Structures are given as structure tokens and as C-alpha cells.
Amino acid sequence: LKMRTALDWMAPDTERIIETGAGWGKTLFNLWLYGAPKHAEFWAFELTQAGRQAAELLIRHAQSPLQLKTASFDHYAPDFACLGQAPKKTAVITHHSLEQIPVLGHNWIDALLALPGFDRCIHLEPVGWQIPTNNWLAEDTPQVYERMQQIDQENSRFSLKKNQNTNLYPLLRESEQ
């Protein structure tokens, strides 16, 4: 469901798909399998050498037409220079990677917006508890609303205890201004 939702948000003429914090590229492989534009370049931006090597090993042995490339990436010092300056329509996706960055800097958003051809960013991150109001739940029954409030509180406690991201939603809202 998450991959199909991400694909619904992705433009069909996307030329480049980037995942930051990609690990071994599972999300990118799934996007490709579920119908992402087959002509697009797929980029796994990953901090760990082991993650990048695993992605490269999989693509080398998969005998797939998927065009997957890897690049070293640090969320605290985002650098997309390896992409060059060619303005290709670009979709960026994050999937359970930003949750591991306790406080994300403005430079991360700035780096995305500076990407030549940047079109959109899709976040699949567990940060719903950061949204200050849950008015969208008001249409549900009181039991559903109550249960969702409990889930948000539990997620908040868990995220704070594990030192997970606390500012993605506020940062995105601020960047909309």
C-alpha cells in the first residue's frame, strides 16, 4: 500500500527517483516493481558503505533493466553534486530514514529545492504525532478518534525515548511559507 501510494504521488514522466537513507535499496526496488517509470534513473543515497555495496551487489546479480546508482549521503550535510546540473524531473522519497535524524536542518530542505529538476518529495516517515491538531479525525466515531489520540501519544513517547526525529513536520510547514 505504501509503495502504491508513493507511486500515486509520483509524476508519470519522472526521470529520476532518489531515496535518501536508502540502505540496500529496498524501497527503490519495490517502486520499480510496483510500476515506477521504467525509464527513470534510480538513485540510492546512503550513509553506510555496506548499504551501498548491498544495493550494487543486488543490481549486479538481479539481471534487471533497473538503472540503479548509489551515492554516499549524510542527512546532516546533504550533497547531491554527483547528479550534475542536468535538470531531470526528480522525485525524492524518504522511507523510515529521517526518523533516525533527531533534528533535521534547514540545509536538508534547501539541498532538495536546489536539485536541478526537483519536482516533489514523498515522505513515508512515522511523524504523524508531530502534527499539532488531529482535526482530520473529527469525522470518525468518538472511539476511533480516542484510539488515534492514544496511538499518537504512544508514538510520541516512543520517538522521544528513542531520540527519533522531532521536527520534520514543523520544518516542512515552515518551508511551505
Side-chain angles (χ1 to χ4, degrees), residues 10 14-19 28 32 36-45 65-69 82-84 86 88-91:
M10 198 173 295
T14 298
E15 299 171 276
R16 180 169 47 206
I17 301 168
I18 296 170
E19 182 183 12
L28 294 170
W32 192 83
K38 300 299 185 219
H39 65 278
E41 296 174 4
F42 288 72
W43 282 85
F45 278 77
L66 170 64
Q67 300 175 53
L68 179 75
K69 299 174 184 167
C82 65
L83 298 174
K88 296 180 180 179
K89 191 168 192 172
T90 301

Side-chain angles (χ1 to χ4, degrees), residues 152-165:
D152 275 354
Q153 290 168 1
E154 291 166 15
N155 287 342
S156 172
R157 278 194 296 275
F158 178 83
S159 294
L160 294 171
K161 180 180 176 182
K162 296 291 185 180
N163 198 30
Q164 292 183 339
N165 184 271

Side-chain angles (χ1 to χ4, degrees), residues 16 87-92 109 111-122:
R16 180 169 47 206
K88 296 180 180 179
K89 191 168 192 172
T90 301
V92 178
I109 300 285
L112 285 186
L113 295 175
L115 275 168
F118 175 75
D119 182 50
R120 64 194 69 201
C121 187
I122 303 158

Side-chain angles (χ1 to χ4, degrees), residues 67-78:
Q67 300 175 53
L68 179 75
K69 299 174 184 167
T70 65
S72 181
F73 188 78
D74 180 351
H75 286 293
Y76 292 109

